[in-house]
Amino acid sequence: MSLVSKLKETIICLQAGRVTLPYPHVPATPPAGFRGRPIFNIEKCIGCAGCANNCPAREILVHDICQEIRIIQYVGRRCTYCGRCADVCPEKAITMSPDFENATNDITDMQQRLELFMGTCQRCGRCFKEPTPLEQLMMKGYRLDEVDKERWVYTANAYLDKEPTVRDIEIELD
Amino acid sequence: MSAHVVLKQITERFTSVIQRTDVPEDGRLFVYVEPQALRELCRYVFRVLDARYVISIGLDDRPISGKFLVAHDFAFDKEHVLCSILSYLSGNPPRVDSISDVVPAANWAEREFRDLVGIEPVGHPYPKRLVLPDGWPDGVHPLRRDYPWDAVPAGYDESRTFDFDDPPEGCVVVPFGPFHPTLDEPAHFRLFVDGETVRGCEYRGFMVHRAIEKLGDSVLTYNEIPMAAERICGICGCVHNVAYAQAVEQAAAVTPPPRARYIRTIMLEIERLHSHLLWVGLGCHILGFDTLFMQCFRIREPIMWIAEKISGNRKTYALCLVGGVRWNITPALRSELMGVLAKLEQEWRPVVDAVAGDRNIQKRTRGVGVADAALVKSAGLIGPVARAAGVDIDARRDHPYAAYGDVEFKVITQEGGDVWSRLLVRALEVFESIRIVRQCLDHLPEGPLQATIQDELPPGRVGLSSVEAPRGESHHFVITGENNRPRRWRVRAPTYQNLQGVPAMIKDQQIADMTISLGSIDPCFSCTDRMEIIDVRSGAHRVYTQSELLQLTRGQTRTP
Amino acid sequence: METSLAVRVLSGGMNIALVLALAPLCEGILRKVTAKVQSRQGPPVWQPYYDLLKLLGKEDMESGESPAMQRFASWLSLAAILTVAVLVPMGTIPPMSGAADAYLLIYLLTLCGISTMLAGLAAGSTYSLVGMSREMMSLMTLEPLLAVAVIIGVVHVRSLRLEAVLDGSPYAQAGVPLAGILMFGVAILAFQALVGRLPFDIAEAETELMEGSLIEYSGPKLALFKFTQMAKLVVYGALVVSLFFPWGSGLPAPLNLVSLLVKLVLLVLVVTLVAATHARYRIDQAIRYYGGLLGASLVALLLALYGY
């Protein structure tokens, strides 16, 4: 009978009580293992670019300016928070943080840029990672305020520009 | 050896035209025939052998064989065989006999490969554009191998409009969609209405076609496609994720370890739980019964939380890779999941009992949107829509995959074929899903989560996979390829088939029943439209054209 | 007892002020209680006031077939319901006693319904016309119910004067007032439809018809319509209370106002609970229901004519 069903339904409702959560007045913490914004730790990164190779959305870009300098940039626009980059990183340099409140009107808030100095091996001339990137730079005599040297980064950007998907990345020229 | 039984039945009659057959495993059959015999063979398989039509695929195989390929997939549910009938077509533009007159369910699939690959189905009863937008130039077929994935075609004609049918005598056109509060995504049903009764309708869809299949065969690699696949649907993503992985695994003979199979089953059933609870709530909302809508969502919420704990996200689980799964179910998660299931069962039982006796809901849903067994067969309807009409099909039992071969469960059917029966089927399937998850958790085997794949996957192999989504059977067709990516990946989502039955379901019903009839197939389709901008200061207003709007949004890197 | 013009105008003004102040509050109570039943927090009780203020502050856009008629329809609907408010006793003496009779009341009630139909017609879009046709069907079967209730009262007290009719008149019969009790049952069963709430809010079924008649209305015009819907709850409630629950209206002021408010709130709670626990009916099912009620009300009228 319909009235009985309606009463049953009403009782179900009233027993439940109020379930509205007070978010956003009270912050919500996601559980452990939540896949939020990936955080790249430059201290641990060895520049293997495994993350870039496996990103389904092609949001991690790699550019080698020269033998010794590699730029890995996480662009963060189409990132789907799948966590493949964190899966494949051999040094566990990428963690999927619990950040989910990522709305912003400035894309550079999301971008993470790793400028890595690939210390060269004496025998083969290719990459190893030394103590800190800055130390490596200083050891090589790299002066950060040298405009000429900084132009390498801008050239890299122009090269990156050929990628049709990243036309919107701008680095301000003085 | 059921595939061989089916093969024998086919070869008995068609020996001379069969070029090659392939039985890679017991449940799969591939038959290559000459193009002129394709139609007759499909008719025989559909009508005489009583197979169920699944999907048709068209693809451009010119880089490899110099020809185009057409495949028609059928399912022999009782023999537990998925069968694909393939045919190479020479010539450009390629032509093949349409099978839509003998297999009405193939209507859309043939229009789709006509649009996207350019294979002309000769004799198709309704050869109108299906997928491509109205202004798309003729003769440009995006899924061909020589068409780049990011190209914009020259000659896009914005002013061209779709050639709609005329309404029948005495009927008024009531447009339903693309914007409608009931639909979450855009779909355009042009209803021909006489008073309050719907006499017919014309459907125009594919408004948010995202070219996922093109990405799959041009841009993404094997292990990146699952992430794209799970974004095909906003509710049943895991299904596509698993179906794709299984199709590649079947093609390349990769066996996922037992623990991975069980975890896939568990996550698939968790997804079924949340989807069915969502649907019951949504159905009540469409009927105006918001209280039950809120209660269904309240009861459903713990499932989303446990899914988030297991996989890291409430809905996009990002579960599978080819050969295994990524997330483990630890003992702590296991006991928590058991607790969630117990609570869910305890809360859902009274709701089902209350709804079952509720005459108010029954008055709106009984006898509405009827799809009887004959329509199910001819239109190839699947899932709860078919089971509500008494047709006993379920891909979990008919074509066992993951761990479904090891668990026991009942397939719920109802007689009646109306919205009420579908509601009952979905409400009762919740209990079966809980049962399956419990069995899987009890027998969860130890072991690795991922199979080690030493070598490259062999190219040129065909894989088929059918997975029972909450909406019906989701079917993936994969041809493995070079360079770590497939040559072709075709997805048949269940709503693709069920939508073809909607015009028959809403015919001679009232407009008021239109939304619940459409909602009862649990549609999963998406939107954008023109925007009118009014300059408040000057009072001038103009309508942005589509190209302007596109430019505006593409150039938008820093908002506003 | 003849009341002076000044007192009548004052009490009429008080009625209008009461309706204007109370109507959004009743709606707010309805929404808050619905939310509680649905296990959620719900909007604050003052939300309808904020909604109306927001709508009134928006730009008055002109969309739809005949904007002038749309504006007229929106003003007419609010004016009609407020005029009915002036006729119905709300805790004080009926303001228009001696100056209006029962026929005027019936005409004005019908005018409220017609203004919504006019709204749909003036907008002219497909959905609004469908909504209007549904509204028309409901109107033809529902308005007679109220008319019959008033006429039964007229028959019993043998007078058309409002202060006599709107004072429990259906029960004004020696012995057991059969007609009154029957009509009381009918009025309670029809009340949900009269105020246009679930399960009978067919004419503006949001999920089916995209707001039906009101589809081309926004801003101040929509505010007027929304206000009319809220006011209907109060005015029809007061009408039903004065016809069928008159006990307490003879108390000295302000107790009679308090008794009216208590009865109104109880009525709103009943409406809320019914609305929260039912799915919407289809128009043909609803018409059959109203038709049955209309039949019962005609039986009650017959009983009244024969002295029961």
Side-chain angles (χ1 to χ4, degrees):
Chain A
M1 224 233 92
S2 201
L3 189 59
V4 172
S5 324
K6 293 296 178 193
L7 280 171
K8 280 196 228 173
E9 285 161 13
T10 318
I11 293 173
I12 296 172
C13 301
L14 294 172
Q15 270 176 342
R18 178 186 129 165
V19 296
T20 314
L21 293 173
Y23 178 82
H25 306 289
V26 169
T29 38
F34 178 76
R35 280 181 278 128
R37 193 165 65 93
I39 305 285
F40 291 74
N41 184 352
I42 197 170
E43 301 287 315
K44 292 189 180 165
C45 176
I46 59 171
C48 70
C51 52
N53 201 26
N54 280 283
C55 176
R58 306 277 184 271
E59 284 296 282
I60 304 178
L61 306 170
V62 181
H63 185 61
D64 291 338
I65 299 176
C66 61
Q67 265 282 333
E68 291 92 352
I69 302 185
R70 171 169 276 191
I71 300 185
I72 296 184
Q73 178 138 358
Y74 165 77
V75 183
R77 294 158 311 173
R78 295 194 306 256
C79 176
T80 58
Y81 307 102
C82 67
R84 282 292 284 155
C85 51
D87 277 357
V88 303
C89 178
E91 299 295 310
K92 301 280 169 269
I94 306 177
T95 38
M96 302 304 281
S97 66
D99 287 347
F100 63 95
E101 289 161 337
N102 296 327
T104 173
N105 54 3
D106 185 359
I107 191 64
T108 54
D109 291 343
M110 294 290 285
Q111 287 173 358
Q112 293 174 61
R113 185 191 176 90
L114 284 75
E115 295 178 12
L116 300 159
F117 193 87
M118 318 289 273
T120 53
C121 161
Q122 282 186 335
R123 267 197 258 174
C124 68
R126 213 18 186 134
C127 9
F128 259 145
K129 188 169 189 294
E130 288 175 14
T132 66
L134 218 47
E135 275 167 37
Q136 296 152 25
L137 286 169
M138 307 247 243
M139 271 160 52
K140 261 279 181 162
Y142 191 89
R143 291 184 53 213
L144 296 160
D145 54 356
E146 244 188 69
V147 174
D148 276 351
K149 296 281 161 44
E150 278 185 77
R151 288 225 180 275
W152 294 356
V153 180
Y154 300 138
T155 322
N157 195 54
Y159 187 87
L160 279 175
D161 228 26
K162 288 205 193 89
E163 276 256 355
T165 52
V166 295
R167 221 176 283 118
D168 58 344
I169 297 178
E170 284 160 18
I171 298 179
E172 263 124 24
L173 285 155
D174 285 292
Chain B
M1 301 299 264
S2 23
H4 287 282
V5 168
V6 173
L7 179 59
K8 189 146 176 285
Q9 285 173 315
I10 294 177
T11 46
E12 267 170 357
R13 271 199 54 168
F14 293 91
T15 351
S16 57
V17 290
I18 292 181
Q19 294 167 339
R20 186 180 124 208
T21 59
D22 215 350
V23 183
E25 58 184 59
D26 199 23
R28 300 288 184 269
L29 172 63
F30 299 99
V31 179
Y32 293 80
V33 295
E34 286 171 21
Q36 56 270 28
L38 188 59
R39 186 170 171 282
E40 182 52 35
L41 179 52
C42 290
R43 191 200 65 82
Y44 181 71
V45 162
F46 185 67
R47 298 245 179 248
V48 178
L49 299 182
D50 203 29
R52 178 170 55 85
Y53 173 78
V54 179
I55 193 64
S56 298
I57 302 114
L59 63 118
D60 180 4
D61 205 41
R62 288 175 300 170
I64 313 291
S65 65
K67 298 188 179 170
F68 288 82
L69 180 65
V70 157
H72 295 292
D73 284 2
F74 289 89
F76 293 85
D77 292 316
K78 296 203 186 38
E79 292 86 350
H80 310 295
V81 174
L82 285 176
C83 161
S84 189
I85 301 176
L86 308 108
S87 185
Y88 281 97
L89 309 169
S90 28
N92 190 359
R95 299 160 74 81
V96 71
D97 291 327
S98 159
I99 65 168
S100 298
D101 47 346
V102 292
V103 182
N107 196 311
W108 278 20
E110 296 201 322
R111 283 164 73 189
E112 180 159 343
F113 67 56
R114 177 176 175 272
D115 274 354
L116 294 178
V117 188
I119 299 176
E120 182 68 35
V122 176
H124 193 280
Y126 195 70
K128 275 196 190 178
R129 215 165 240 195
L130 182 72
V131 175
L132 291 173
D134 303 332
W136 192 271
D138 292 323
V140 178
H141 301 288
L143 272 184
R144 291 199 170 180
R145 301 306 274 169
D146 49 2
Y147 190 85
W149 66 276
D150 54 354
V152 177
Y156 187 91
D157 180 8
E158 226 202 78
S159 54
R160 184 162 152 194
T161 53
F162 190 73
D163 180 22
F164 282 112
D165 291 340
D166 287 323
E169 279 293 313
C171 287
V172 162
V173 172
V174 172
F176 186 84
F179 276 123
H180 199 273
T182 323
L183 302 170
D184 310 308
E185 299 130 326
H188 185 57
F189 288 87
R190 231 168 149 249
L191 302 175
F192 305 132
V193 170
D194 176 15
E196 277 267 336
T197 320
V198 176
R199 295 281 171 220
C201 91
E202 187 175 359
Y203 176 73
R204 179 84 177 118
F206 293 89
M207 288 164 194
V208 194
H209 185 251
R210 292 158 288 164
I212 290 182
E213 289 175 11
K214 185 69 180 178
L215 286 178
D217 63 18
S218 312
V219 177
L220 299 173
T221 60
Y222 282 123
N223 270 344
E224 289 167 352
I225 291 180
M227 311 304 160
E230 77 178 345
R231 282 163 176 82
I232 291 174
C233 174
I235 300 177
C236 50
C238 187
V239 166
H240 290 294
N241 195 302
V242 170
Y244 162 77
Q246 284 178 173
V248 177
E249 285 160 10
Q250 184 247 294
V254 171
T255 319
R259 191 176 177 90
R261 287 189 295 116
Y262 273 70
I263 292 181
R264 282 181 184 175
T265 312
I266 292 172
M267 295 310 282
L268 281 171
E269 289 305 306
I270 287 180
E271 190 177 65
R272 189 181 320 275
L273 284 173
H274 100 74
S275 174
H276 281 338
L277 286 174
L278 185 149
W279 185 82
V280 177
L282 193 66
C284 292
H285 170 66
I286 294 175
L287 293 175
F289 196 174
D290 277 337
T291 306
L292 210 54
F293 164 65
M294 296 288 173
Q295 295 307 314
C296 287
F297 271 67
R298 176 186 60 83
I299 297 173
R300 169 185 176 264
E301 193 64 9
I303 305 174
M304 310 306 280
W305 292 340
I306 190 73
E308 194 178 45
K309 291 197 172 128
I310 296 176
S311 69
N313 194 290
R314 286 161 63 98
K315 178 256 154 191
T316 40
Y317 307 150
L319 180 69
C320 289
L321 293 172
V322 174
V325 298
R326 295 169 68 202
W327 316 120
N328 197 5
I329 296 188
T330 60
L333 283 173
R334 181 183 174 284
S335 47
E336 197 171 339
L337 181 54
M338 290 290 240
V340 165
L341 292 173
K343 182 104 199 300
L344 175 69
E345 195 173 18
Q346 181 213 1
E347 292 198 302
W348 189 240
R349 179 69 63 189
V351 172
V352 175
D353 289 340
V355 167
D358 192 336
R359 277 185 52 234
N360 174 230
I361 296 182
Q362 286 185 41
K363 270 185 152 187
R364 284 302 304 274
T365 55
R366 274 199 195 272
V368 170
V370 177
D372 56 7
L375 181 66
V376 168
K377 165 78 179 173
S378 72
L381 305 181
I382 39 188
V385 178
R387 292 197 281 278
V391 179
D392 188 11
I393 51 173
D394 188 329
R396 296 176 288 177
R397 184 202 52 201
D398 298 332
H399 307 282
Y401 55 94
Y404 286 102
D406 303 338
V407 298
E408 271 191 32
F409 60 98
K410 218 171 38 162
V411 173
I412 312 271
T413 53
Q414 294 278 325
E415 309 294 325
D418 53 13
V419 174
W420 175 246
S421 311
R422 288 171 212 149
L423 195 153
L424 281 179
V425 166
R426 290 191 180 101
L428 296 173
E429 275 186 0
V430 167
F431 299 112
E432 293 303 314
S433 289
I434 295 177
R435 207 169 135 204
I436 294 175
V437 180
R438 282 194 180 134
Q439 289 176 63
C440 286
L441 286 176
D442 285 338
H443 301 115
L444 193 58
E446 297 299 322
L449 294 175
Q450 176 84 29
T452 24
I453 302 177
Q454 306 282 26
D455 312 303
E456 272 190 45
L457 299 183
R461 303 274 184 82
V462 188
L464 300 176
S465 163
S466 271
V467 167
E468 183 76 12
R471 281 149 193 76
E473 178 206 35
S474 164
H475 182 87
H476 286 229
F477 171 98
V478 167
I479 300 187
T480 54
E482 302 70 23
N483 213 1
N484 201 28
R485 52 174 57 100
R487 268 184 217 159
R488 180 77 167 97
W489 170 46
R490 174 77 163 98
V491 179
R492 198 287 305 259
T495 304
Y496 190 86
Q497 210 56 45
N498 285 341
L499 269 177
Q500 296 181 55
V502 167
M505 276 190 239
I506 60 174
K507 197 161 185 296
D508 296 329
Q509 301 258 333
Q510 305 222 0
I511 302 185
D513 294 328
M514 164 73 196
T515 40
I516 189 65
S517 301
L518 180 62
S520 74
I521 65 169
D522 205 356
C524 195
F525 0 41
S526 199
C527 184
T528 294
D529 202 275
R530 300 164 144 246
M531 247 165 57
E532 188 169 288
I533 308 291
I534 301 177
D535 187 334
V536 179
R537 275 165 292 167
S538 70
H541 72 272
R542 66 194 192 96
V543 180
Y544 272 115
T545 59
Q546 188 185 36
S547 54
E548 284 171 317
L549 201 59
L550 280 173
Q551 269 177 353
L552 198 68
T553 48
R554 279 190 190 142
Q556 199 81 303
T557 56
R558 280 149 217 233
T559 52
Chain C
M1 171 180 68
E2 280 299 309
T3 42
S4 70
L5 182 63
V7 175
R8 271 194 259 146
V9 168
L10 192 65
S11 109
M14 262 188 60
N15 274 17
I16 293 183
L18 199 69
V19 168
L20 288 176
L22 265 189
L25 183 62
C26 285
E27 171 86 15
I29 295 174
L30 193 148
R31 286 167 72 171
K32 193 73 175 176
V33 172
T34 311
K36 284 276 181 297
V37 170
Q38 292 177 355
S39 303
R40 56 186 174 89
Q41 184 177 354
V45 175
W46 315 111
Q47 187 65 32
Y49 292 103
Y50 305 146
D51 288 344
L52 288 171
L53 280 173
K54 177 194 81 170
L55 282 172
L56 285 171
K58 289 196 170 202
E59 183 192 339
D60 193 5
M61 275 197 66
E62 301 214 332
S63 68
E65 290 263 321
S66 22
M69 188 56 91
Q70 284 180 295
R71 221 169 300 155
F72 175 64
S74 55
W75 281 114
L76 180 66
S77 68
L78 189 62
I81 197 72
L82 287 179
T83 317
V84 176
V86 164
L87 295 179
V88 171
M90 294 191 187
T92 56
I93 46 171
M96 299 300 278
S97 59
D101 63 6
Y103 279 133
L104 184 63
L105 181 65
I106 296 174
Y107 286 152
L108 283 171
L109 287 171
T110 322
L111 196 59
C112 299
I114 288 182
S115 65
T116 331
M117 272 174 52
L118 207 57
L121 213 54
S125 82
T126 328
Y127 281 107
S128 72
L129 288 174
V130 175
M132 186 217 66
S133 83
R134 291 185 180 186
E135 183 80 36
M136 190 154 63
M137 286 194 266
S138 309
L139 202 71
M140 287 198 289
T141 35
L142 267 185
E143 292 300 332
L145 280 170
L146 273 181
V148 168
V150 172
I151 290 174
I152 288 179
V154 164
V155 164
H156 278 167
V157 300
R158 305 204 186 297
S159 153
L160 281 172
R161 293 174 53 119
L162 272 180
E163 70 265 26
V165 173
L166 292 179
D167 194 17
S169 53
Y171 303 136
Q173 188 60 29
V176 180
L178 279 177
I181 292 178
L182 183 57
M183 203 55 219
F184 165 58
V186 168
I188 291 299
L189 287 174
F191 191 65
Q192 197 80 8
L194 284 171
V195 295
R197 307 278 165 185
L198 275 167
F200 299 111
D201 65 345
I202 306 158
E204 313 129 7
E206 169 222 312
T207 52
E208 294 167 18
L209 276 192
M210 299 208 266
E211 290 297 300
S213 316
L214 297 181
I215 192 173
E216 296 282 352
Y217 290 85
S218 66
K221 293 204 278 282
L222 186 62
L224 291 173
F225 275 113
K226 289 268 175 237
F227 211 28
T228 312
Q229 281 171 356
M230 300 179 200
K232 269 193 186 173
L233 195 52
V234 175
V235 172
Y236 283 148
L239 188 63
V240 165
V241 159
S242 64
L243 276 175
F244 297 105
F245 304 103
W247 313 290
S249 62
L251 294 170
L255 283 174
N256 52 10
L257 185 62
V258 169
S259 87
L260 173 78
L261 290 176
V262 166
K263 285 181 257 180
L264 258 183
V265 169
L266 282 173
L267 207 52
V268 166
L269 283 175
V270 167
V271 168
T272 312
L273 287 173
V274 172
T277 52
H278 279 82
R280 190 178 300 120
Y281 276 124
R282 213 169 46 214
I283 186 69
D284 57 322
Q285 296 165 336
I287 299 290
R288 248 173 274 149
Y289 178 77
Y290 304 157
L293 288 178
L294 191 60
S297 69
L298 289 173
V299 167
L301 182 61
L302 268 174
L303 286 173
L305 286 170
Y306 278 102
Y308 292 101

